Structure formats: structure tokens, C-alpha cells
Amino acid sequence: MIQDVVWDVSIVLMGSRAAVFVGVAAGAQVPLANYGPAIARAYRLRVWLFALAMIVLVGANYRTLGEMPYVSNLTEPSAVAVKRVDATGEQWAWTVTPNTFHVGQTVEFYVTSKDVNHGFGLYDPEMHIVAQTQAMPGFTNVLRYTFTEPGTYQVLCLEYCGLAHHEMKTEINVAAR
């Protein structure tokens, strides 16, 4: 999967950059005897603070980068029935079929484009964005979403695609169970 390759390459590049930085820092000799005991203590403290910062940042990166980009779980078996929805963008309209669902229903939007890149933005009835992905010609992105509220959802284009970009929208209706 491409996301695993990106993750592995990112780790290798971050590790090599950190190794170069540590090597340069370790090779820099500061003649502390010329500056007195206060400066020597400050430099030793700086080394420990740098090491602590590296540990915290590496831990934070390890914890958060594994979640990005959104790792697909489409290959895992699911106990939830998922409905397939085809969403196609073209200047300046969305075709979403089907476009009527129920609260609690999980759908997979198979999003593509016929012409240029578009941004598929799904907004809840209060116009808060709840999900988004890219629509690209010759490629299909799969976006999984579970509807939690009834109402009329909007699909808007998030990528400037031409003069009538602002008109590129459609509605999805979600009924209560």
C-alpha cells in the first residue's frame, strides 16, 4: 500500500536528518574552560535539554504520524453493512448516486473526476465539514463516512476548478430511522 511506503520513507528521511544533526552537534567542540563554570554548566544543560526535546519530538512523531494520512481499513472485515456511493465531479457539477441515506448508515464514497482535480467536501446540515477527499481524473479515492444526524448534507468543491467553481454543489438527504 502506498501509505506504508510513504511512512517508511518518512521515517528513514527523518532518522537520517536527525543523525546528521546529532553528528554535527557532537563534533562541535566548545572550549568551555575559556568561559568559566557558569557557561560550562549552561552548555551541559543545553545538551540535556536537547536530548529531552529529541525524545519528546520523536515520541510525538511516532504517535501521530502513524495516523496520517488516513489509513484505510477497507481490507478489514466489517460487521457494519456499507453502502457504495459513486461520486463523480466534472466542471461544474457533482453526480452522487445514490443520494438518500438513513442515520447510522455507513457509506463508502467512490470519488473520481471526469476532467480536472476537484475537492469533495461533505458538510452536515449546519454546514460543518465532516469529511473530504480529492476527486482526480483517472483515479478513485474511497471515503468512508457514517451519517449521525438527519437532514440535508451538502457536497461542495474544495479545489478551485474554474469560473463556476462556486456553483459546484449537490445535496444528500439523510432520513431518521
Side-chain angles (χ1 to χ4, degrees):
M1 185 190 237
I2 189 80
Q3 293 166 338
D4 294 330
V5 172
V6 170
W7 170 247
D8 294 340
V9 169
S10 297
I11 292 297
V12 168
L13 291 175
M14 285 187 289
S16 61
R17 179 168 283 189
V20 167
F21 186 80
V22 169
V24 168
Q29 298 297 321
V30 179
L32 297 180
N34 297 342
Y35 297 107
I39 299 296
R41 276 194 309 276
Y43 270 99
R44 282 192 293 275
L45 178 61
R46 190 170 85 171
V47 168
W48 283 104
L49 288 175
F50 175 75
L52 178 64
M54 289 299 293
I55 291 169
V56 168
L57 290 175
V58 166
N61 280 319
Y62 179 78
R63 172 65 184 101
T64 59
L65 285 179
E67 303 296 324
M68 301 297 284
Y70 304 113
V71 179
S72 174
N73 61 356
L74 298 179
T75 57
E76 298 174 8
S78 175
V80 178
V82 177
K83 184 169 186 100
R84 180 187 171 114
V85 177
D86 292 313
T88 304
E90 61 182 307
Q91 293 177 317
W92 290 280
W94 288 107
T95 303
V96 178
T97 53
N99 67 349
T100 303
F101 309 101
H102 291 94
V103 170
Q105 187 170 21
T106 300
V107 299
E108 285 180 350
F109 292 95
Y110 286 75
V111 181
T112 191
S113 170
K114 288 185 179 179
D115 46 28
V116 299
N117 282 5
H118 298 283
F120 180 88
L122 180 62
Y123 290 80
D124 69 10
E126 296 176 11
M127 290 306 291
H128 297 120
I129 191 165
V130 294
Q132 61 104 15
T133 191
Q134 282 292 116
M136 299 175 284
F139 188 81
T140 301
N141 277 317
V142 180
L143 175 67
R144 182 180 281 195
Y145 183 73
T146 303
F147 290 99
T148 58
E149 302 175 27
T152 301
Y153 287 68
Q154 300 287 322
V155 175
L156 304 176
C157 183
L158 300 177
E159 181 94 19
Y160 181 72
C161 57
L163 292 175
H165 161 75
H166 62 284
E167 294 292 329
M168 191 168 172
K169 53 188 164 186
T170 192
E171 293 181 348
I172 293 176
N173 298 305
V174 179
R177 284 231 178 234

